[in-house]
Amino acid sequence: MEGTKTVVKVGSRKSQLALIQTNTIIAKLKEIHSNYEFEVVSMTTTGDKILDSALSKIGAKDLFTRELELALEKGDVDFVVHSLKDLPTRIVDSLVIGCVYKRDSEYDAVVMHPKHKGKKLDDLDENSVIGTSSLRRAAQLARRFPTFKFENIRGNLNTRLKKLDEDNKYDAIILAEAGLVRMGWNDRIAQVLTPSECMYAVSQGAMAVECRAGDEKTLALLSPIHDQDTALQCIAERAFLKQLEGGCSVPVCVCSTLTDSQISLKGGVYSIDGKQSVIDTVTKTFPEEPAAKKKATNGHTFSAIVHGNIELVLCQTAEAAGMELANRLLVTEAADILAEAKRQTAEAVIAEQKRKEQEAI
Ligand code: DPM
């Protein structure tokens, strides 16, 4: 009977990608819970409004999420779908990541200007201009292609593709393969970058659902789509970033693999110009002893991700892998590289504010 259906309100950004992601999660939930109805409440975030600065130059970690989180806290919406890589490793205590959905491609992809159709990065001229606002992508690719120029490009995916095709400024841009595929732009992917060419961002390609901590009804609704393998890899990757106190202000990259018995996390810290880097790997074996299989204390999360239906000891092992890798790097020159990258980014934030103040006069 129509009237007996429970209505769940779902917050989303207004961009095409955000709405596609939100509708993917809703469609999956509808398959499982036929007695629920979902209503999308879309809104514009600060990050959507600031289109003229690189994200790393704005200086706030929650640009694309804050407005949505406020709506969650107020009870205006019951959950919000995000790209997990956009969610800071620390979120407010009142909210949690209630599930992590099965990861799509975690790799970066190259999209060429139409005049370079059929080419790969290796085929481009020495002075080619690559559009990306990701410090991580620019640093790793600058190392490999020292003569390329890396220029900022902002805006949602539609805007960026339009800028690439129409502005004649960029020879190619770098985007996450997952986003391109979700938009249905597979035919624009010229090349998928392997981890040896460009390691990916923490949690890239995974969607996550944020909800109120302790909202048992929503947590139970989300539980069947919480993907164990993805969650464990993302817990390890996020623990690494959290321990490094990274974020989008520094070039930090990862590559993780999982088997039934082990989790392995490779992580790197780069200088902004890509000239210095430290990369290391930690592998941990999941313990089998029943003693370790303790139940979670209520409300415990892993870099804000609930353990949900996943064995606690698996989450703890994944988290330990990420923390150990970070701790290992922090006793090498990686600590100095990181500190210098943070200093440069902070300086860029101030320069950007000054530039804007000048513009406003
Ligand atoms: C974060 C970064 C970027 C996004 C930084 C990074 C890319 C910014 C840029 C943290 N968030 O990756 O080093 O290219 O200027 C973002 C995208 C997706 C989620 C788009 C993209 C889609 C893929 C996914 C923006 N956030 O990376 O091309 O779900 O992971």
Side-chain angles (χ1 to χ4, degrees), residues 64-97:
F64 289 105
T65 52
R66 196 63 211 138
E67 281 86 353
L68 291 158
E69 289 185 334
L70 284 173
L72 262 178
E73 286 178 313
K74 282 200 286 178
D76 291 347
V77 298
D78 300 305
F79 69 75
V80 175
V81 179
H82 301 277
S83 284
L84 184 52
K85 85 162 168 170
D86 293 331
L87 277 182
T89 52
R90 289 168 208 275
I91 63 178
V92 287
D93 286 343
S94 58
L95 303 175
V96 287
I97 295 164

Side-chain angles (χ1 to χ4, degrees), residues 259-279:
T259 65
D260 283 344
S261 61
Q262 287 189 325
I263 184 156
S264 181
L265 179 69
K266 184 175 182 183
V269 170
Y270 279 73
S271 61
I272 305 257
D273 63 10
K275 288 189 175 141
Q276 295 163 280
S277 65
V278 184
I279 297 168

Side-chain angles (χ1 to χ4, degrees), residues 13 17 21 54-55 64 82-87 104-106 108 131-137 152-155 157 160 174-180 182 200-207 247-248 250-252:
R13 285 171 55 206
L17 179 65
Q21 295 187 167
L55 288 186
F64 289 105
H82 301 277
S83 284
L84 184 52
K85 85 162 168 170
D86 293 331
L87 277 182
D104 294 312
S105 164
E106 56 272 61
D108 290 315
T132 178
S133 312
S134 157
L135 299 173
R136 172 186 64 80
R137 290 172 180 150
N152 219 13
I153 182 165
R154 278 289 327 275
L157 292 189
R160 289 186 194 204
I174 317 291
L175 295 170
E177 183 180 22
L180 288 163
R182 287 176 198 147
Y200 42 87
V202 163
S203 304
Q204 184 161 311
M207 292 186 260
C248 66
V250 283
V252 171

